[in-house]
Amino acid sequence: MENESSDPPGKPSAGIPGIRYILVAGVFWRILIIEAVLLVGSVLYRMVSENAGPVELFWYAVRIVLLVIIILLFMMITLRRFLEKKIIQPLEAVSAANLRLDVANPQVDNIPLDADAALEIRDIVKTRSKMLDALIKVSQQRLNLVNFIRDTFGRYLSRSIVNEILESPNGRNIGGRRQTVTVLMSDLRGFSDLSDDRDPEEMVRILNRYLETMTKVIHDYEGVIDEFIGDAILTVFGIPEPRPDDSLRAVACALDMQRALAHLNRQMVQEGLPTLEMGIGINTGAVVVGNLGSEARTKYGLVGSVVNVASRIESNTVGGQVLVGEATYDQVRGKVTAQSPMTVMMKGFKKPLVCYPVTAVGAPYDIALPEIDEHREARQEIRLPLALWRLEGKKVASETISGETRYLGESSLEIDIPVRLEPLTDVKLQLVFCQDVHCFSDIYGKVLAVETQNGRLRHRLRVTYMVQDDRELLRKWIADASPS
């Protein structure tokens, strides 16, 4: 606690007198009244009983007044010192200790008392000490409980959200408010298939390592992780309170997440672990944010089409890519570097979805990623038979389509198939080829472009997931086939 008044103890404050003034003034006026009564009584008695004349009564009164003054001075001096030592100073010490009380440092609260201090004052000091000890213990327990709640639920919700719920009188009420936010949705490419080939405990360790890395980056940019959806992360910028740079921070965060994943992948390769690829979609718009659910089960979250759109944008990304929606791009235009916009018609949407591949952000973040350019990637003409399936989400949505590879690269393929697939279509394919007991696992990709060459439909694919052994074998074949 801090002292709310700068007045010394015992001094009247805001018209309220202190104990020193009350005691001294009370004793003074009471002695004065008693002496005045004695004076008047003595003069009247002398006048009636002895028939004294005016002059004699006057000098008698003067002697009485002088005697009263002497008695009054003696009483005020001696009694004041007595009251100060026995009552006023001990009580002022208690008052001063209360004013300077600091719960965080209770050792400064000691009140020295004389050995002959009154029993009642000793009881006041002792009772006060016990009461303060109890209050400090209760306060510390309450603080520990609040910190425990913050730390525990801060692992499930953002610290800022936990603070809002705990500190707001209506923090637990069901309901929400309309607010403009920027939603960042990230997802790993091919993680489900990677999990099928490895020990579950190892995959949990890899996933937790990835999530820990991404969480640190998101917190650095003051984003709020709404939830982990498997290997996907739903992050929101603009809650609990919106800020003018929400969209720019979201884009900078996404680019830094890609950069952090590249660093993590270098560590994973050194440890013999598989590398990961992540796509990120960002969108800005109005949502309803708050406590959703019922009194029995409540979740702090957000509802709105902006979340669905961000997820759809993310689904069109390839590994290492950051796509932002049109609303977000309008807010960061001129502050980021982006490639030509891409337009895709998504199921359930009434107009095409426009996305901008962002590769860099300017000051104060200054983050740039290597641009994905399949044309510059080392590739060789290698023909292998293949089987391909079109995907919708995680489900196979077509019969087997047979074809042949034309050019192979480490992260891209050119294939000939008899069926035209629209750009941004997700596919799964198998190279129907085994060498030295090595057979290729499933390869996942996304169609980037389609053109007709010599009467054949040639599709250019970006690989979104390939097991590391297959990637190493393709790299070896490409190197062996390259001109010396």
Side-chain angles (χ1 to χ4, degrees):
M1 280 185 200
E2 294 184 356
N3 192 341
E4 297 180 357
S5 173
S6 59
D7 297 327
K11 182 178 179 180
S13 175
I16 302 176
I19 188 172
R20 179 186 298 270
Y21 176 83
I22 291 174
L23 284 178
V24 173
V27 171
F28 174 81
W29 288 109
R30 280 161 178 78
I31 293 176
L32 187 61
I33 291 172
I34 292 172
E35 296 297 340
V37 171
L38 290 176
L39 172 62
V40 173
S42 298
V43 171
L44 290 176
Y45 177 79
R46 184 71 177 271
M47 183 178 63
V48 172
S49 63
E50 299 182 6
N51 296 319
V55 175
E56 186 179 357
L57 289 175
F58 171 76
W59 289 112
Y60 178 77
V62 169
R63 289 195 301 271
I64 295 296
V65 169
L66 292 175
L67 181 61
V68 167
I69 292 174
I70 293 172
I71 295 174
L72 188 62
L73 291 175
F74 174 78
M75 292 294 294
M76 289 303 300
I77 292 173
T78 58
L79 187 59
R80 179 174 179 176
R81 289 182 178 177
F82 173 80
L83 291 176
E84 280 194 354
K85 183 178 180 182
K86 298 298 183 180
I87 299 177
I88 296 175
Q89 289 180 353
L91 291 180
E92 286 181 346
V94 173
S95 176
N98 287 341
L99 292 174
R100 68 171 181 265
L101 176 63
D102 186 353
V103 175
N105 299 285
Q107 65 273 11
V108 303
D109 190 47
N110 296 328
I111 302 175
L113 292 177
D114 293 337
D116 58 346
L119 176 62
E120 290 78 6
I121 293 180
R122 288 183 175 276
D123 288 342
I124 290 174
V125 174
K126 185 184 298 184
T127 304
R128 175 184 176 278
S129 298
K130 291 182 179 179
M131 179 184 68
L132 289 178
D133 287 341
L135 288 175
I136 291 172
K137 289 179 181 178
V138 170
S139 297
Q140 190 60 48
Q141 291 173 355
R142 181 180 181 277
L143 181 61
N144 292 339
L145 178 60
V146 171
N147 289 336
F148 172 78
I149 293 173
R150 292 183 195 275
D151 292 340
T152 301
F153 286 94
R155 301 179 64 184
Y156 297 89
L157 290 171
S158 165
R159 179 64 68 108
S160 58
I161 301 300
V162 174
N163 290 341
E164 181 187 33
I165 293 173
L166 293 179
E167 295 172 5
S168 171
N170 301 319
R172 296 176 54 196
N173 293 350
I174 301 297
R177 62 184 183 276
R178 188 173 180 83
Q179 194 166 309
T180 298
V181 301
T182 297
V183 176
L184 183 155
M185 176 70 78
S186 65
D187 192 18
L188 291 179
R189 294 289 168 265
F191 189 79
S192 299
D193 297 277
L194 178 63
S195 302
D196 293 338
D197 301 328
R198 289 187 171 264
D199 179 71
E201 292 184 356
E202 181 187 38
M203 290 312 303
V204 169
R205 288 194 295 270
I206 292 174
L207 178 60
N208 286 338
R209 190 170 173 182
Y210 157 77
L211 293 176
E212 181 180 3
T213 301
M214 295 302 109
T215 297
K216 184 179 184 304
V217 176
I218 292 169
H219 285 173
D220 287 344
Y221 288 87
E222 301 180 76
V224 173
I225 298 176
D226 183 70
E227 60 181 321
F228 296 127
I229 311 169
D231 56 301
I233 306 174
L234 175 59
T235 304
V236 187
F237 293 81
I239 58 174
E241 295 298 331
R243 291 165 53 178
D245 64 340
D246 286 333
S247 296
L248 187 62
R249 279 188 296 112
V251 174
C253 178
L255 295 174
D256 212 1
M257 289 170 67
Q258 293 289 14
R259 191 167 60 175
L261 182 60
H263 178 71
L264 177 62
N265 279 335
R266 288 191 289 270
Q267 296 178 351
M268 304 262 275
V269 169
Q270 293 175 356
E271 299 170 18
L273 297 173
T275 58
L276 305 173
E277 288 193 347
M278 172 179 62
I280 300 178
I282 301 176
N283 191 38
T284 301
V287 298
V288 175
V289 58
N291 294 324
L292 311 175
S294 65
E295 293 295 337
R297 179 70 171 87
T298 304
K299 176 185 181 298
Y300 189 97
L302 61 158
V303 175
S305 62
V306 63
V307 181
N308 186 38
V309 173
S311 178
R312 295 295 188 93
I313 293 174
E314 180 276 321
S315 69
N316 288 300
T317 61
V318 296
Q321 192 176 42
V322 175
L323 286 182
V324 304
E326 202 168 12
T328 303
Y329 186 73
D330 287 342
Q331 295 189 7
V332 300
R333 190 190 303 268
K335 301 176 183 177
V336 301
T337 301
Q339 298 174 344
S340 300
M342 49 189 288
T343 304
V344 57
M345 193 68 202
M346 302 292 293
K347 183 182 295 185
F349 284 71
K350 297 180 180 179
K351 61 180 182 179
L353 196 61
V354 180
C355 309
Y356 293 80
V358 175
T359 58
V361 61
Y365 306 104
D366 295 320
I367 303 172
L369 298 179
E371 294 189 14
I372 301 172
D373 191 344
E374 289 77 13
H375 294 292
R376 297 182 182 180
E377 182 183 52
R379 62 192 186 120
Q380 290 296 323
E381 184 176 0
I382 300 176
R383 300 191 179 187
L384 298 172
L386 63 86
L388 179 143
W389 296 266
R390 182 170 58 85
L391 300 178
E392 288 184 0
K394 304 289 185 181
K395 298 180 180 179
V396 174
S398 72
E399 299 293 332
T400 303
I401 303 172
S402 299
E404 183 182 45
T405 64
R406 298 292 296 188
Y407 292 92
L408 296 183
E410 186 178 337
S411 299
S412 63
L413 305 172
E414 286 193 18
I415 63 173
D416 290 339
I417 55 175
V419 178
R420 179 183 179 88
L421 299 177
E422 293 299 322
L424 300 180
T425 300
D426 291 311
V427 298
K428 178 179 80 170
L429 61 90
Q430 292 178 347
L431 300 179
V432 188
F433 182 83
C434 294
Q435 181 191 40
D436 297 332
V437 301
H438 178 90
C439 296
F440 282 88
S441 301
D442 292 342
I443 299 174
Y444 290 83
K446 188 180 291 289
V447 178
L448 297 181
V450 184
E451 58 184 16
T452 302
Q453 291 190 4
N454 300 323
R456 294 174 177 267
L457 288 172
R458 181 155 303 172
H459 294 70
R460 181 159 53 90
L461 308 180
R462 165 74 179 182
V463 175
T464 57
Y465 171 73
M466 180 189 303
V467 299
Q468 193 64 26
D469 290 344
D470 292 352
R471 196 182 294 275
E472 292 295 335
L473 182 58
L474 288 183
R475 187 182 291 124
K476 180 179 182 301
W477 285 358
I478 293 169
D480 292 343
S482 300
S484 303

